[in-house]
Amino acid sequence: METVQELIPLVKEMIAQKPSRKLVKVYVLGGVLALFGVVLVLVETVCSPFTAASRLRDEEAAVAELRAARERQALQTQALPEKGKQHEATLCSRALSNRQHAS
């Protein structure tokens, strides 16, 4: 059922067979669901450029946040050895000062 031209003969054939009420209800329900599907696809098609732009902005914000986190982490890892060196220097100077007094 790709075109309306195929749908019209099908409907004529179904009417000629005189289906029961339940069967007509099923056909109507199927038609309504198909129409809802078409409407949803149309709405999605119309709104997709807006959602794509917002997704792009969200991805750019996430990338920027990730870069900032990596820079902070790099700064912290650089600061740790410097603090360690300062701590070692303090310990060495204390050790030397203790030895001078001990002799």
Side-chain angles (χ1 to χ4, degrees):
M1 298 292 161
E2 294 180 8
T3 64
V4 177
Q5 293 172 351
E6 295 176 4
L7 187 63
I8 292 172
L10 177 69
V11 171
K12 285 183 180 179
E13 184 181 329
M14 286 190 321
I15 291 173
Q17 292 179 0
K18 298 191 180 187
S20 66
R21 281 186 161 231
K22 289 182 181 180
L23 198 55
V24 170
K25 287 180 182 178
V26 170
Y27 290 143
V28 169
L29 179 64
V32 169
L33 290 176
L35 285 175
F36 280 144
V38 169
V39 169
L40 287 174
V41 167
L42 287 174
V43 168
E44 183 179 355
T45 303
V46 169
C47 296
S48 66
F50 303 113
T51 57
S54 67
R55 279 190 212 138
L56 183 61
R57 276 186 262 128
D58 292 343
E59 287 177 7
E60 289 174 353
V63 168
E65 185 177 328
L66 187 61
R67 285 182 184 162
R70 286 183 181 168
E71 288 176 3
R72 283 191 300 251
Q73 187 179 13
L75 290 174
Q76 287 177 353
T77 55
Q78 289 174 355
L80 288 177
E82 291 174 3
K83 286 183 181 178
K85 289 178 183 176
Q86 290 175 353
H87 185 65
E88 289 175 9
T90 306
L91 290 177
C92 286
S93 66
R94 287 183 185 169
L96 291 176
S97 64
N98 289 339
R99 286 187 185 157
Q100 288 173 355
H101 294 291
S103 55

